[in-house]
Amino acid sequence: MDVITGKIEKMKPAFEKIAANAYVSAIRDGFIASMPIILFSSLFILVAYVPNAWGYHWPTNIENNIMIAYNYSMGLLALFVTATTAKNLTDTKNLNLPKTNQMNAVSIILASEIAFIISTIVQNKGGADLTYLGTQGLVTSYIVGLIVPNIYYFCIKNNVTIKMPPQVPQNISQTFKDVIPMFLSVTVFWAFSLLLAALTGKNLAQLIIALLAPIFSASDSYVGLAIIAGAMGFFWFVGVQGPSIVAPAVAAIEVTNTTANLKLIQAGQQATHVLAQNAQDYVMNMGGTGSTFILVFLFLFLAKSKQLRALGKASFIPVSFSVNEPILFGAPIIMNPIFFIPFVVTPMINICLFKFFITVLGMNGMMYTMPWVIPAPIGILVSTGFAPLAFVFVILSLVIDAFVWLPFMKVYDSQLLTEENKKAAEEGLAVDGVVADDADVSADSTVMATNSGEDETAETTDTDVKDSDTGTGFDKDTAVMVICAGGGTSGILANALNKTAKERNLPLSAAARAYGQDMNMIQDMDLVILAPQMESMKGNVQKITDKYGVKLATTSGKEYIELTRDPEKSLQFVKAHI
């Protein structure tokens, strides 16, 4: 196993390069930016169709009125994703240009949307068919959103622009500066669309769907689903945030399948597509990547070592809401050979079981998109429209997950217990082979013995010194941004900082963001803290912080979890890095 771990560690740099690639990041961050549209529109879907599960159907006119908001938000999703993808790539490429010669993001967004509409619109006698402006045009939106910024970049970098005399105001000069890049961007896709229609009779979106049909089909097979689920766990085990690599490759398929499932339900048929956004969130990643939902409760109730019991007690709430970094780094699970098999295999079992329930037993697949932080068992029930078989699936999957994780957890728990007893014996605190009751678990999850009252006094004095010293160094307004993968653990750390700053009346404020979300806020920060799961993105973030003169701090997994749990230590960490 050590040999395997060593080989996996050697692969890490390559995986980090993939995750940090500007184009992969633009696709991922562009899709993340559109999530409010998906979640917002799903509210109307829930109102319109969840009552059907209990036999109630809205009158047709009311149903149509409810669906207006959905049709003109989710129904135009690809158009919006074109803009967000182009914007994210533009921001990245602007880092490589002089501050006085930047690309105009607004102009790029407009050019991208025009090019996308030309590439996807279907003309008919009654007007225009908007079908491919929705989920079926997502892959096309990525293509357009990645090409247009490059056309602008070439023009701006090489001064292929209209130059106005210096007497002309800059806002007017910028308008003329954007004319040639916009003309080229739109013309390229216009000419290509005409050529494509003449040769194939299809537009770009239609052709892509036809070409990718086998991949869409394969992704819903047992093998395809297992590969997707296993890849997320594998990459995370290496130390690279798994979904950051896998999600961009399957996001378009997941959203398209969710929409297709809803249409099947509306037509009175079974929702047969398995791979969907919430299938990834709630089934593959039940309780976070690796399907750790049940594991934290095994730590809490069945572990004998103090470390795992304490970890389970401290982590069961965040893990229930799919924020599982506390156990990934706290146990740890990442790069721990004992947990490699269950961490990779459990998500594969869950998604294959989910497919079995859909294809063999006739359960409906996911037809709604709910926020990923909803506890997985609840999310599965809601996203499948409260299908009766979904209740059975939830119970069965939890039981199976427990049986998969339990033997490996026991092995690790036994090792920790042996180490705890050995350490306690060395310090004279072991009683009949059991760690004494007055031993405690420190913040870094190692067993520490509480000695005499003299030691406690010394500890208290040290804490008092820290407390009295904490305020010095925050003599001006200090803004901190914490960045993680999904905004979960970063939110915990930011909230701890804000709460402590308020209690002590310190001029400190903290904000939490997922990577790629509101990155323009960095320019107003004094310090950016990058979570360990985003280590692969350090280079990208460093470019932004360097551009604005903002300090960047990184942490190890164990240290990061300590900071989320220890407000005093988090303040000291901020103070040390500003």
Side-chain angles (χ1 to χ4, degrees):
M1 183 62 75
D2 290 338
V3 175
I4 295 176
T5 303
K7 289 182 178 180
I8 290 175
E9 285 182 327
K10 291 180 180 179
M11 300 178 189
K12 184 177 178 180
F15 297 145
E16 288 181 337
K17 286 184 179 180
I18 295 173
N21 179 271
Y23 296 94
V24 173
S25 296
I27 292 173
R28 180 189 60 247
D29 300 339
F31 185 77
I32 290 174
S34 70
M35 281 304 295
I37 297 173
I38 298 173
L39 298 177
F40 159 80
S41 61
S42 293
L43 296 177
F44 291 90
I45 289 292
L46 292 173
V47 173
Y49 295 109
V50 166
N52 296 0
W54 291 279
Y56 178 79
H57 297 264
W58 294 103
T60 302
N61 64 323
I62 294 179
E63 179 182 320
N64 290 339
N65 287 334
I66 294 173
M67 290 299 292
I68 288 175
Y70 175 84
N71 292 332
Y72 292 102
S73 54
M74 192 70 172
L76 300 175
L77 180 66
L79 179 63
F80 305 132
V81 171
T82 302
T84 55
T85 301
K87 172 63 166 58
N88 278 282
L89 185 58
T90 299
D91 290 344
T92 299
K93 285 193 163 293
N94 268 337
L95 296 173
N96 300 322
L97 291 172
K99 292 182 179 180
T100 55
N101 191 35
Q102 297 275 289
M103 296 187 291
N104 184 352
V106 174
S107 179
I108 290 177
I109 288 173
L110 294 176
S112 298
E113 292 191 329
I114 295 170
F116 174 75
I117 292 172
I118 290 173
S119 302
T120 56
I121 206 75
V122 176
Q123 299 288 342
N124 55 43
K125 293 181 180 180
D129 185 352
L130 306 182
T131 298
Y132 298 100
L133 270 66
T135 56
Q136 294 190 57
L138 277 174
V139 177
T140 306
S141 74
Y142 296 148
I143 294 173
V144 175
L146 296 180
I147 291 178
V148 171
N150 277 287
I151 294 175
Y152 268 74
Y153 183 78
F154 174 83
C155 293
I156 300 300
K157 184 179 180 180
N158 296 284
N159 292 314
V160 185
T161 60
I162 298 176
K163 300 176 181 64
M164 302 299 290
Q167 294 82 4
V168 177
Q170 286 191 2
N171 60 326
I172 297 177
S173 295
Q174 182 65 57
T175 300
F176 283 92
K177 183 178 180 180
D178 293 332
V179 169
I180 292 178
M182 178 174 281
F183 172 79
L184 290 176
S185 299
V186 174
T187 301
V188 165
F189 282 96
W190 167 71
F192 182 74
S193 295
L194 291 178
L195 179 63
L196 201 60
L199 295 177
T200 67
K202 301 178 184 294
N203 62 29
L204 180 58
Q206 291 171 323
L207 180 63
I208 288 173
I209 288 176
L211 293 175
L212 295 182
I215 297 177
F216 273 58
S217 178
S219 67
D220 243 17
S221 67
Y222 283 105
V223 174
L225 292 166
I227 290 174
I228 293 169
M232 290 190 186
F234 174 80
F235 287 127
W236 233 137
F237 187 83
V238 174
V240 181
Q241 215 266 343
S244 68
I245 296 180
V246 180
V250 299
I253 300 175
E254 292 174 341
V255 176
T256 301
N257 284 350
T258 303
T259 303
N261 277 343
L262 181 62
K263 291 180 178 178
L264 289 169
I265 291 295
Q266 291 171 331
Q269 302 175 36
Q270 180 198 358
T272 55
H273 297 285
V274 180
L275 183 62
Q277 179 65 52
N278 279 168
Q280 173 187 316
D281 296 334
Y282 302 145
V283 180
M284 293 182 187
N285 300 330
M286 184 181 290
T289 305
S291 293
T292 57
F293 186 93
I294 198 67
L295 178 63
V296 73
F297 292 98
L298 295 180
F299 285 171
L300 181 60
F301 296 112
L302 298 183
K304 295 180 181 179
S305 66
K306 284 209 164 192
Q307 175 175 325
L308 292 188
R309 286 207 311 271
L311 186 61
K313 184 177 180 180
S315 305
F316 78 93
I317 292 179
V319 172
S320 296
F321 292 90
S322 296
V323 180
N324 68 340
E325 284 85 355
I327 63 172
L328 294 185
F329 297 114
I333 293 175
I334 302 301
M335 295 305 297
N336 185 337
I338 294 175
F339 288 127
F340 175 74
I341 292 176
F343 191 71
V344 174
V345 171
T346 306
M348 299 168 69
I349 294 174
N350 283 352
I351 195 64
C352 288
L353 179 66
F354 189 64
K355 178 174 174 60
F356 176 82
F357 267 69
I358 292 173
T359 58
V360 177
L361 302 183
M363 184 181 79
N364 285 325
M366 305 285 188
M367 66 192 80
Y368 312 121
T369 300
M370 306 299 296
W372 63 271
V373 292
I374 291 178
I378 298 174
I380 291 171
L381 300 178
V382 176
S383 297
T384 57
F386 293 96
L389 280 171
F391 290 85
V392 180
F393 170 78
V394 168
I395 296 172
L396 184 59
S397 60
L398 289 174
V399 171
I400 292 175
D401 288 3
F403 276 103
V404 173
W405 277 107
L406 187 59
F408 300 93
M409 188 276 286
K410 283 188 173 181
V411 170
Y412 189 53
D413 184 51
S414 178
Q415 287 185 5
L416 293 178
L417 184 61
T418 300
E419 292 173 4
E420 290 173 359
N421 286 339
K422 181 179 179 181
K423 187 167 186 176
E426 290 174 353
E427 297 180 8
L429 294 176
V431 179
D432 296 330
V434 180
V435 179
D437 291 337
D438 58 350
D440 199 2
V441 180
S442 70
D444 64 353
S445 297
T446 56
V447 176
M448 301 294 291
T450 302
N451 293 321
S452 63
E454 180 180 339
D455 291 333
E456 292 178 4
T457 303
E459 182 180 346
T460 302
T461 303
D462 182 61
T463 301
D464 290 341
V465 170
K466 285 183 179 180
D467 286 342
S468 63
D469 186 55
T470 299
T472 65
F474 295 108
D475 52 353
K476 64 175 183 177
D477 289 339
T478 302
V480 179
M481 175 184 278
V482 189
I483 300 176
C484 72
T489 52
S490 61
I492 297 173
L493 178 52
N495 289 339
L497 286 169
N498 287 328
K499 181 180 179 182
T500 307
K502 184 177 180 180
E503 291 173 349
R504 304 186 185 186
N505 197 28
L506 299 175
L508 172 70
S509 61
R513 291 294 186 272
Y515 178 83
Q517 179 188 29
D518 296 334
M519 299 296 276
N520 58 313
M521 286 178 58
I522 290 178
Q523 61 186 306
D524 300 318
M525 297 293 127
D526 297 294
L527 173 68
V528 172
I529 301 175
L530 192 64
Q533 59 266 41
M534 302 313 297
E535 177 67 25
S536 59
M537 305 301 176
K538 180 181 177 181
N540 293 348
V541 178
Q542 186 80 60
K543 289 181 180 179
I544 302 175
T545 54
D546 288 349
K547 178 180 179 180
Y548 296 116
V550 177
K551 295 183 179 179
L552 175 65
T554 58
T555 67
S556 65
K558 183 174 289 187
E559 180 184 34
Y560 183 65
I561 299 305
E562 289 175 14
L563 296 179
T564 63
R565 296 175 183 172
D566 189 340
E568 175 63 38
K569 190 165 187 175
S570 64
L571 282 177
Q572 293 292 335
F573 181 88
V574 171
K575 179 183 172 183
H577 287 87
I578 58 175

